[in-house]
Structures are given as C-alpha cells and as structure tokens.
Amino acid sequence: DVDLVLNKIQNGEVLFIEGDYGKGKTTILKKIIRKFGGRKELIYYSCNRADSNVDFDKLIKDRHGFFSSFFNDDKDLILFLDEAQDLSQEDGEKLVGYYGRNFKAIVLVSHDFNKSKISDGLASLIGANIIRLGELTEEDAIGIIRKRIGHINLLSDDLIRAIFKKSSRNPRKMLKNCEDMCRYAINHGYNQVKE
C-alpha cells in the first residue's frame, strides 16, 4: 500500500486512504513525510480542528515560516489532510481550485470514505483512487513485532499470534500488550515470555 500511495503522489494524483484506527494510516504518513517532508513540499493538516474553514493560502505560506513570503515556490506541493471526514464540502470545493495550481497531489485520510462529506468536485478528482487498508494478518503482526524487537527469543512467533488474537486483531493494542509483556518478563528476570 505504501509504494502505491507514493507512486500516486509522484504522479500528481488526488487520493483517499481509508482504514480503521490501527490499520496503518500513521505508518503511511510517516513514510510520506520521510520522502517529501524535508524539501518543504508536504503540508500536513488535520481537519478535526476547531477552525470552521481551512485557510489554504495560510497553509501554503506558513510551511516555511516567516521567510516563505520571500520565496515564490508555492507550486507542486503535496497536501495531506488527516481526519478528512471533518473537511467541509465548501472547503472541498475550494480545494479543487488549488489542485494543479498549488497542489500537485492531495492525500485525504479517514476511516470511511462513504461517511466523509466529500464535495462532488473533490470526489470527481479522487475518482477510483480510494485505497482501503485491509485487515492485518497474523503474519503481518509477527512482522510488525520483529521489526520493532528483532528476532530475539523473548517472544515466540506463536505467542505473538496469540497476543494479536487477544488484542482483538488491533495493531496498537497488540503493540502495547507485547511491550507490557516484555517489560514484565525483563523486570522479573525471565528470558522469555510464556503463555
């Protein structure tokens, strides 16, 4: 999914990433930031703020701070809108006018495309570019834990599977539960977490 998203951004597309909490949206955001954030190409905005409307001009100007007014580099930007279900239809229509002029790519993120108040113009730009983050498998869960702690014997693959199931298949709960179990084992002098 990450490579697909990065390719669509580089191709200058508008896309919507959909997935429940803990399904990998934050991981994708981190990779996008790593890829595009350092060159001030990326603007992140969470739509769940108390502000009634998004000031896109201010977002563009503020990305560099005070000195941005001296630069004329407000084209080919990437806009990442988190919590897109809170974007008003009015702001969605305004955003259509910025696409191609200021924003070369727009990424909207929410847990459900159909429950978002996406304007008709923005929905037309998104088209079929709706990326649904799927359910994690037990093997995905093992991969996540191994990436964090390596292949140490503290947690067996079978135990990671069991923790994943007991954590309602939620990656965030699983990570916290694995961390708590490892901490407990180490604090009590155990070499391995046991059932």
Side-chain angles (χ1 to χ4, degrees), residues 2-180:
V2 174
D3 289 335
L4 176 65
V5 169
L6 292 175
N7 285 337
K8 287 186 177 291
I9 290 171
Q10 288 176 319
N11 291 336
E13 298 181 39
V14 179
L15 57 140
F16 192 101
I17 300 173
E18 166 185 281
D20 288 328
Y21 295 108
K23 299 299 182 201
K25 295 185 304 282
T26 302
T27 301
I28 289 175
L29 171 61
K30 287 178 182 175
K31 295 210 175 182
I32 292 170
I33 289 171
R34 227 175 279 131
K35 175 101 175 155
F36 301 105
R39 297 176 293 216
K40 303 291 185 189
E41 287 181 86
L42 179 68
I43 296 173
Y44 171 88
Y45 184 82
S46 180
C47 298
N48 66 354
R49 297 181 181 192
D51 311 1
S52 58
N53 291 82
V54 182
D55 187 343
F56 294 109
D57 289 325
K58 185 172 178 7
L59 288 177
I60 291 166
K61 287 180 182 172
D62 287 353
R63 78 184 189 288
H64 284 299
F66 172 75
F67 293 105
S68 71
S69 59
F70 299 111
F71 301 106
N72 189 14
D73 59 349
D74 55 357
K75 294 180 182 174
D76 296 331
L77 302 172
I78 300 159
L79 180 63
F80 191 99
L81 293 174
D82 204 357
E83 303 293 339
Q85 73 277 358
D86 295 326
L87 180 71
S88 72
Q89 288 197 352
E90 179 185 344
D91 284 340
E93 281 306 307
K94 279 196 274 180
L95 189 54
V96 171
Y98 283 89
Y99 177 63
R101 186 181 72 201
N102 298 97
F103 301 122
K104 72 176 178 183
I106 301 170
V107 181
L108 297 105
V109 179
S110 182
H111 30 272
D112 190 340
F113 177 80
N114 294 321
K115 292 183 180 174
S116 299
K117 301 172 273 192
I118 302 294
S119 69
D120 291 340
L122 189 54
S124 178
L125 287 178
I126 294 168
N129 275 339
I130 300 170
I131 298 169
R132 290 178 177 87
L133 301 178
E135 294 287 324
L136 289 182
T137 66
E138 291 177 9
E139 297 312 305
D140 294 331
I142 292 168
I144 289 169
I145 297 301
R146 292 291 171 228
K147 194 173 200 178
R148 293 236 174 165
I149 66 170
H151 291 278
I152 60 174
N153 291 328
L154 195 59
L155 284 173
S156 69
D157 288 355
D158 287 338
L159 194 54
I160 293 170
R161 285 184 189 95
I163 294 168
F164 182 58
K165 288 177 189 173
K166 296 257 186 216
S167 303
S168 305
R169 306 183 81 75
N170 181 306
R172 287 186 183 174
K173 284 183 188 175
M174 177 200 61
L175 286 169
K176 176 154 183 15
N177 290 338
C178 285
E179 181 180 310
D180 290 346

